Amino acid sequence: MDVSLVPADTTEDVRGRGVGVPRQIAVLPVGSYEQHGPHLPLATDTLVACAVVREIAAAYPVHPLPPVTIGCSHEHADWPGTVSVSAVTLYAVVRDIADSLRRSGVDALVVVNGHGGNYVLGNVVQEASARGERMALFPAVEDWETARERAGVTTSLLTDMHAGEIETSILLHAHPELVRPGHEAADFVADDRRHLLSLGMSTYTDSGVIGRPSRGSAEKGKELLASLADSFAAYFSLLTEVDPPRPGGERG
């Protein structure tokens, strides 16, 4: 295991970090274990989520958690190595983590999702928020779009679906030793994927790639992560406010 994926905090580190902040926030990376074409590892989404969390933890007084490494990757089941859990299981794991954190005095949780197929995480956050719990899902599409523009990523978010310019760039920056040769010639575009949930990824790509990894670079990866860390400021402010605004501008 790459020990950089697991925080090295002691309990005293956590206690000290909570001093002086109105609310303590934990940050949970959630990834997947699924095919990412011939050039990126199965753990790509987990590695991306962990890289985002490291950037956040370097800039804000949050508590980074170890990653959830297997998610909902059923659309990738046709490729060897892919492993999934059910949406019910992933929901329960994140709920249990949030409950456990509150019992230890950390009452806000940001779920940093590295895999688009983990749709259920939106439901976890939505339902928790309706119960009055403090939880957020990061990054939003808007955060990725801002990061894409800042980093000079030329592939649209629609086209850059899987193992493309964004993911290749982040791994070239954060874990270049894990990027295999061949991404320079692995581009494949399939923008119309309307039956993805019914038919799976193999209907749209033979290689497992949908996007333009040839355009990836370490420099873009660095800027993508920096932009996401900047975007996190709004989430930090929202979750640490004593009386956060409700939709429409009203206070709770």
Side-chain angles (χ1 to χ4, degrees):
M1 173 182 287
D2 183 347
V3 295
S4 68
L5 300 182
V6 181
D9 286 345
T10 68
T11 187
E12 293 305 317
D13 293 329
V14 175
R15 192 192 311 275
R17 199 180 292 123
V19 174
V21 295
R23 291 184 185 275
Q24 297 188 60
I25 300 176
V27 185
L28 175 68
V30 180
S32 70
Y33 200 72
E34 65 185 35
Q35 72 83 20
H36 274 77
H39 67 285
L40 295 182
L42 294 160
T44 290
D45 291 339
T46 300
L47 295 168
V48 168
C50 287
V52 173
V53 169
R54 283 196 299 273
E55 288 286 319
I56 291 170
Y60 305 89
V62 299
H63 305 308
L65 298 174
V68 177
T69 58
I70 296 178
C72 301
S73 301
H74 310 282
E75 69 273 28
H76 298 276
D78 288 338
W79 280 271
T82 297
V83 181
S84 289
V85 296
S86 70
V88 172
T89 297
L90 184 57
Y91 181 105
V93 167
V94 176
R95 284 292 316 145
D96 284 354
I97 290 171
D99 291 344
S100 178
L101 286 164
R102 281 194 299 275
R103 287 193 293 271
S104 68
V106 181
D107 64 352
L109 175 64
V110 178
V111 180
V112 174
N113 182 33
H115 171 48
N118 289 335
Y119 308 113
V120 72
L121 295 177
N123 298 112
V124 177
V125 172
Q126 185 181 52
E127 294 171 19
S129 299
R131 289 190 296 268
E133 300 167 16
R134 292 181 182 247
M135 192 180 296
L137 183 61
F138 181 81
V141 172
E142 293 84 354
D143 300 315
W144 278 118
E145 185 61 37
T146 298
R148 185 187 72 81
E149 293 176 0
R150 171 170 160 178
V153 170
T154 57
T155 312
S156 71
L157 293 181
L158 172 65
T159 298
D160 196 58
M161 187 257 188
H162 194 69
E165 186 174 359
I166 288 175
E167 290 184 322
T168 301
S169 292
I170 291 176
L171 261 68
L172 283 171
H173 168 65
H175 297 280
E177 74 282 1
L178 299 181
V179 180
R180 305 290 179 89
H183 66 276
E184 303 87 351
D187 292 6
F188 185 79
V189 173
D191 284 351
D192 186 345
R193 306 182 295 270
R194 70 188 71 190
H195 302 300
L196 176 67
L197 298 182
S198 299
L199 301 176
M201 279 281 289
S202 60
T203 300
Y204 298 98
T205 172
D206 292 331
S207 67
V209 175
I210 296 181
R212 297 189 177 97
S214 69
R215 300 183 184 182
S217 72
E219 293 75 17
K220 290 177 182 178
K222 181 178 180 180
E223 284 301 311
L224 284 163
L225 293 173
S227 177
L228 292 174
D230 289 345
S231 292
F232 187 79
Y235 295 77
F236 185 84
S237 296
L238 178 66
L239 292 177
T240 54
E241 282 186 347
V242 175
D243 191 16
R246 291 178 176 176
E250 299 179 3
R251 293 275 164 177

